[in-house]
């Protein structure tokens, strides 16, 4: 599997990946998450231009997963990581997170952070297996507090959410 910066022509493909990946939420009673629209192309383009939008490609070079991130409080915050269901359980998400972690380390950032659903098996429990730990609410940095507040405004706190962190080696 190859991970590389996304090409401008692939931005709509990222939206398709996110929509497909979101469908599994419908199966666990979280239809609102499945129905949530992916990032607009202009937002994905902003991440791309900033060098913070990467794709994992299959053997034919087609994107099967992607990750977007941005610096926050000395770390690199994963805004979105999505893997198409046809490529699930093949290490795509793990590889994308490893790649982002390496980019963070190269830039002298302290590690990766992300926010996720606490009780969804392929969310917090999965990230825990990849070395992330839950950051207690009283230890959130100002940037992470702002991210959590924005998520609450979007209604994501209808289900338990946590902020997680994995330090750079």
């Amino acid at each position: 599997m190859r991970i590389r910066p996304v090409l401008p022509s692939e931005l709509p493909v990222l939206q398709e990946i996110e929509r497909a990946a979101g469908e599994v939420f419908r199966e666990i009673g979280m239809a609102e998450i499945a129905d949530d629209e992916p990032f607009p192309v202009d937002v994905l383009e902003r991440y791309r231009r900033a060098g913070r939008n990467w794709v994992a490609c299959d053997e034919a070079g087609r994107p099967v997963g992607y990750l977007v991130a941005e610096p926050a409080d000395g770390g690199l915050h994963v805004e979105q990581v999505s893997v198409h269901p046809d490529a699930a359980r093949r290490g795509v998400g793990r590889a994308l997170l490893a790649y982002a972690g390496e980019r963070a380390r190269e830039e002298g950032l302290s590690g990766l952070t992300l926010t996720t659903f606490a009780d969804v098996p392929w969310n917090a429990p999965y990230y825990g297996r990849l070395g992330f730990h839950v950051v207690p609410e009283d230890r959130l940095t100002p940037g992470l507090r702002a991210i959590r507040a924005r998520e609450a405004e979007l209604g994501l706190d209808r289900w338990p959410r946590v902020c997680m962190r994995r330090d750079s080696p």
Side-chain angles (χ1 to χ4, degrees):
M1 168 183 0
R2 180 171 177 236
I3 298 176
R4 60 168 171 74
V6 68
L7 302 173
S9 62
E10 295 171 327
L11 297 175
V13 175
L14 304 189
Q15 292 177 311
E16 293 170 17
I17 290 169
E18 189 172 339
R19 282 187 187 103
E23 282 302 309
V24 294
F25 285 95
R26 196 174 308 285
E27 299 168 11
I28 62 167
M30 297 172 73
E32 295 89 340
I33 301 304
D35 293 336
D36 193 33
E37 279 298 307
F39 285 124
V41 168
D42 64 319
V43 172
L44 292 169
E45 172 62 10
R46 180 177 56 85
Y47 283 111
R48 188 193 71 76
R49 274 191 262 133
R52 306 269 187 221
N53 191 335
W54 303 291
V55 292
C57 298
D58 65 12
E59 303 79 31
R62 294 179 302 251
V64 295
Y66 80 98
L67 185 147
V68 294
E70 64 185 354
D73 299 331
L76 188 62
H77 185 74
V78 177
E79 285 289 332
Q80 182 69 37
V81 59
S82 291
V83 176
H84 195 283
D86 292 345
R89 298 182 181 265
R90 296 185 190 154
V92 176
R94 177 185 305 263
L96 283 163
L97 288 163
Y99 188 88
E102 185 61 25
R103 301 292 73 73
R105 188 189 63 72
E106 287 175 357
E107 293 179 33
L109 299 172
S110 60
L112 297 178
T113 60
L114 53 82
T115 56
T116 192
F117 294 110
D119 301 325
V120 174
W122 59 89
N123 279 196
Y126 169 75
Y127 297 121
R129 290 190 302 275
L130 297 182
F132 285 81
H133 64 273
V134 173
V135 179
E137 290 288 324
D138 64 344
R139 301 188 120 219
L140 293 180
T141 59
L144 294 176
R145 284 187 198 288
I147 289 166
R148 289 287 292 118
R150 185 178 71 232
E151 291 176 346
E153 288 174 7
L154 295 171
L156 293 177
D157 280 0
R158 178 175 170 196
W159 303 275
R161 285 185 69 75
V162 293
C163 182
M164 300 184 81
R165 175 178 183 80
R166 182 173 75 190
D167 294 327
S168 290

